[in-house]
Amino acid sequence: MFEKIRYRLLLSYLLVLASILSIFALGVRVIFARSLTQQLTEKLTALGQGAAGNAEWENGQIKIESDFNVENLIDKNQALQLFDTKGNTIFQQGNFLLTRPLSLNETVQFETIKNRVQGVTLPINNSKGKVIGYVRVSQSLEEIDKTLSKLNWGLGSGIVIALMFSGIGGMILTRLTMQPIEDNFKTLKQFTADASHELRSPLMAIKSNLAVALKYPEGMRESDAEKFRAIASATNQMTRLTEDLLLLARTDKADTISKDIVNLTAILENLVQIYQSHAEVKEISLKPHLTENIYLVGDSIQLTRLFTNLIQNSLHYTPSEGTVEITANYLGSYLIVSVKDTGVGIAPEHIKRVFERFWRAEQSRSYWDGGSGLGLAIAQAIAQNHGGSISVTSQLGVGSCFTVRLPSFLVIPNKNQTGRLG
């Protein structure tokens, strides 16, 4: 139980840390990318202003002055384009030219050719301030993309390394944090087991004396006899409660269960015979559907208690003329046992709590006379100690189905050999 809690705490801690680091890395990446793009825009703007300043109107055409070396643009993965006032291309130089039409509404333009290209468009003014054309300077974003790729790898690697070290530290911290709780819980379980064990003797003494007193009622009044019977009933209920607490404390220790080869089919058939008369009294149809010779390795006493609790639970909550079906069969390397009834059912909001100790619903699933409220909790503990699980599906007014999933084993008779199915 505590192992699962530790893993959940560690997983929650790592998820929160991963979210924080991812948001931080994303923020750094966005800011850095915008910074690089802004720097490139400023660089292209400066280059475009230089080209516009060196442009002149000659013979009805725009020309770049001869001392402005356009060839240098090619070495820098840049390109230059000149347009007249109508958007017609007059001159272009470079390998990364924007193919998009000139747009006066977009100063900065982006386009993907072989790779991403960014361009900046600026007007060319004559000496009188009149627009005589436009210059568009563009540059490949390959270097920026490579830089961002390296940043992504760096940030991703940093997050992974941080999570690895945080996971190691988190495991140590969660273990240290949970250790006092585990110690207290173990102490509480030991106290429960000790108290239950010590209560058995005085309760047995009370039951014995009550039995003797009720065996010879001549010397007491009728009202006194009724009080003694009420005390006997309460004593029986307390005895069952202490037995359940003691059993639950023992089943919490998985290493205490026996490791014998158990014929589960025989156990279930025996339980059906035992509770058949009880079902007939309540006018309930008890139907077994069992596969022959289902074997597993475990504790026959605890397994008997597991399915006893489930059958008793179903019989109690199934009204007259109802049905309780017990099914057992193989499913791969596991065996599935289900106890399905047509009883009152369980409300959806209560299904997650039916295996809690001492929990009871306000109405239909309350304790019955003599019940301790630990039956399903004991069943779950036994199933888990055998490497299995137990689940429930239910619908109010329709019924419930408790399903036990346990590892199965194949037994070869007279050879004392066991082998796992599947």
Side-chain angles (χ1 to χ4, degrees), residues 303-322:
L303 290 170
T304 301
R305 183 59 181 272
L306 187 163
F307 295 106
T308 297
N309 290 353
L310 295 182
I311 295 172
Q312 286 180 343
N313 186 77
S314 292
L315 289 174
H316 177 77
Y317 291 113
T318 301
S320 299
E321 301 182 358

Side-chain angles (χ1 to χ4, degrees), residues 61-338:
Q61 292 184 345
I62 302 174
K63 293 184 178 181
I64 301 294
E65 294 181 358
S66 59
D67 58 348
F68 185 79
N69 191 357
V70 180
E71 295 295 333
N72 291 335
L73 299 177
I74 300 176
D75 299 333
K76 300 177 181 178
N77 293 328
Q78 295 173 333
L80 176 68
Q81 294 171 289
L82 291 180
F83 301 90
D84 59 20
T85 55
K86 295 181 180 181
N88 298 317
T89 304
I90 317 173
F91 171 84
Q92 59 183 21
Q93 183 76 37
N95 295 327
F96 294 95
L97 297 166
L98 288 176
T99 60
R100 296 176 59 182
L102 180 67
S103 175
L104 302 181
N105 297 324
E106 296 179 289
T107 304
V108 180
Q109 294 177 297
F110 293 92
E111 185 178 10
T112 301
I113 309 172
K114 294 182 179 179
N115 50 32
R116 294 194 308 137
V117 178
Q118 177 182 346
V120 174
T121 303
L122 297 173
I124 301 175
N125 300 320
N126 59 15
S127 58
K128 297 181 180 181
K130 182 181 179 180
V131 176
I132 59 175
Y134 299 92
V135 59
R136 183 165 68 183
V137 185
S138 57
Q139 178 172 325
S140 171
L141 298 177
E142 183 179 2
E143 293 183 1
I144 292 180
D145 290 340
K146 288 182 179 179
T147 302
L148 291 178
S149 178
K150 293 179 181 179
L151 178 64
N152 293 338
W153 277 102
L155 291 174
S157 302
I159 291 176
V160 172
I161 294 173
L163 289 177
M164 290 177 58
F165 283 103
S166 298
I168 296 173
M171 291 178 63
I172 298 174
L173 291 176
T174 52
R175 187 175 297 276
L176 292 176
T177 303
M178 294 297 298
Q179 191 61 48
I181 302 176
E182 291 184 46
D183 293 340
N184 291 336
F185 187 72
K186 289 179 181 178
T187 302
L188 180 60
K189 286 198 301 183
Q190 187 62 43
F191 170 77
T192 302
D194 294 342
S196 301
H197 185 270
E198 294 300 325
L199 282 172
R200 297 171 72 185
S201 297
L203 286 173
M204 289 300 297
I206 295 173
K207 288 180 63 177
S208 300
N209 285 279
L210 284 172
V212 173
L214 291 174
K215 187 175 182 181
Y216 304 100
E218 297 84 2
M220 66 177 72
R221 295 174 296 180
E222 182 62 28
S223 59
D224 291 337
E226 293 179 0
K227 293 178 181 178
F228 274 104
R229 282 192 287 270
I231 294 173
S233 177
T235 303
N236 289 332
Q237 187 171 355
M238 289 182 64
T239 301
R240 281 190 286 270
L241 177 59
T242 54
E243 293 292 342
D244 286 346
L245 286 172
L246 185 59
L247 177 61
L248 194 57
R250 288 172 177 172
T251 54
D252 282 334
K253 301 177 180 179
D255 55 350
T256 61
I257 68 172
S258 301
K259 299 292 184 180
D260 302 321
I261 299 174
V262 179
N263 187 336
L264 188 60
T265 303
I267 291 177
L268 294 174
E269 289 176 345
N270 184 53
L271 290 176
V272 170
Q273 291 180 358
I274 292 173
Y275 287 98
Q276 190 66 54
S277 59
H278 180 70
E280 292 175 354
V281 170
K282 290 194 64 177
E283 299 181 359
I284 296 174
S285 176
L286 184 59
K287 299 179 179 180
H289 305 284
L290 309 177
T291 300
E292 294 184 0
N293 298 324
I294 295 180
Y295 290 96
L296 74 160
V297 173
D299 191 316
S300 61
I301 296 176
Q302 290 196 11
L303 290 170
T304 301
R305 183 59 181 272
L306 187 163
F307 295 106
T308 297
N309 290 353
L310 295 182
I311 295 172
Q312 286 180 343
N313 186 77
S314 292
L315 289 174
H316 177 77
Y317 291 113
T318 301
S320 299
E321 301 182 358
T323 302
V324 174
E325 296 184 8
I326 304 172
T327 305
N329 49 52
Y330 288 109
L331 182 63
S333 59
Y334 285 85
L335 60 90
I336 306 297
V337 181
S338 62

Side-chain angles (χ1 to χ4, degrees), residues 32-48:
F32 189 70
R34 287 184 177 179
S35 176
L36 291 178
T37 304
Q38 183 64 29
Q39 290 179 9
L40 180 59
T41 301
E42 294 175 355
K43 179 180 179 181
L44 292 178
T45 300
L47 184 59

